[in-house]
Amino acid sequence: MADFRGRPEDEVTMQPDDALRTIEAQVAMLLRLSDRTRRAGARARGEIERSAYLVLGVLAEEGPTSVNAIADALRLDPSTVTRQVLAMEQAGQVVRAADASDGRVTLVRPTDAGLEALERTREVRARLYGEVLDHWSADDRADLARLLTRLNADVDTWGRAHGSR
């Protein structure tokens, strides 16, 4: 089984249980390394907080959206998103306004500053991953992108089937 340092397993034929243990360990380490990278100078690189990044990503894709729709898209509790949106509003990244077609609904929309911060963060992160994956072939990067997308979709499907938001 690969260790946390990601040593190759070329010499070893993995059994199915070994592969699952390796996946679990590597995902845990990826989350830890990503967190370390994020905390180590994210603001100095011009990145926004992870919660703002995710909310702004939904808004950039969907346009003005209710807190409940954002919560659903991010698989979060609406109360959590409400707190995030309030902080983002104070930071000038979003504005809230009543829905013209249903005054009971409040829509959240990104400000120009919020969209600029999102784009700046995307660029910073793309450069970082570009450096990290520089020695990978285009095919390997495409495979990683495809498999990460598939993993996220399958984890989400499993979570929804098992009562997670």
Side-chain angles (χ1 to χ4, degrees):
M1 179 175 2
D3 65 16
F4 282 112
R5 291 173 293 282
R7 292 183 180 146
E9 305 218 12
D10 297 338
E11 315 81 42
V12 180
T13 302
M14 292 179 58
Q15 300 300 314
D17 286 346
D18 292 339
L20 294 175
R21 287 187 181 106
T22 298
I23 291 166
E24 182 281 323
Q26 292 304 318
V27 168
M29 194 60 177
L30 176 63
L31 294 172
R32 169 65 188 101
L33 293 172
S34 295
D35 189 52
R36 179 188 70 185
T37 301
R38 181 183 55 79
R39 285 181 307 173
R43 285 199 178 121
R45 292 188 304 266
E47 291 183 54
I48 54 179
E49 294 292 326
R50 178 177 44 208
S51 59
Y53 177 82
L54 293 171
V55 169
L56 286 166
V58 170
L59 296 174
E61 187 173 317
E62 302 293 327
T65 307
S66 70
V67 166
N68 285 342
I70 296 168
D72 188 53
L74 297 176
R75 314 314 187 247
L76 294 170
D77 187 87
S79 65
T80 300
V81 174
T82 297
R83 286 190 300 276
Q84 292 170 346
V85 165
L86 290 173
M88 293 171 66
E89 188 174 37
Q90 290 178 346
Q93 297 167 333
V94 299
V95 294
R96 295 177 298 147
D99 184 343
S101 64
D102 183 351
R104 298 170 296 172
V105 176
T106 299
L107 295 179
V108 181
R109 85 168 167 77
T111 62
D112 289 343
L115 292 174
E116 289 168 9
L118 174 64
E119 186 55 34
R120 189 171 51 252
T121 299
R122 285 177 171 168
E123 289 172 5
V124 165
R125 290 178 179 185
R127 276 195 309 274
L128 181 132
Y129 283 109
E131 289 176 24
V132 169
L133 302 174
D134 183 54
H135 64 284
W136 288 36
S137 71
D139 286 344
D140 283 349
R141 284 179 291 191
D143 285 346
L144 178 62
R146 179 182 55 77
L147 291 170
L148 285 173
T149 300
R150 180 178 172 189
L151 177 62
N152 276 329
D154 288 348
V155 168
D156 183 42
T157 298
W158 184 92
R160 286 177 179 259
H162 291 84
S164 299
R165 200 164 208 322

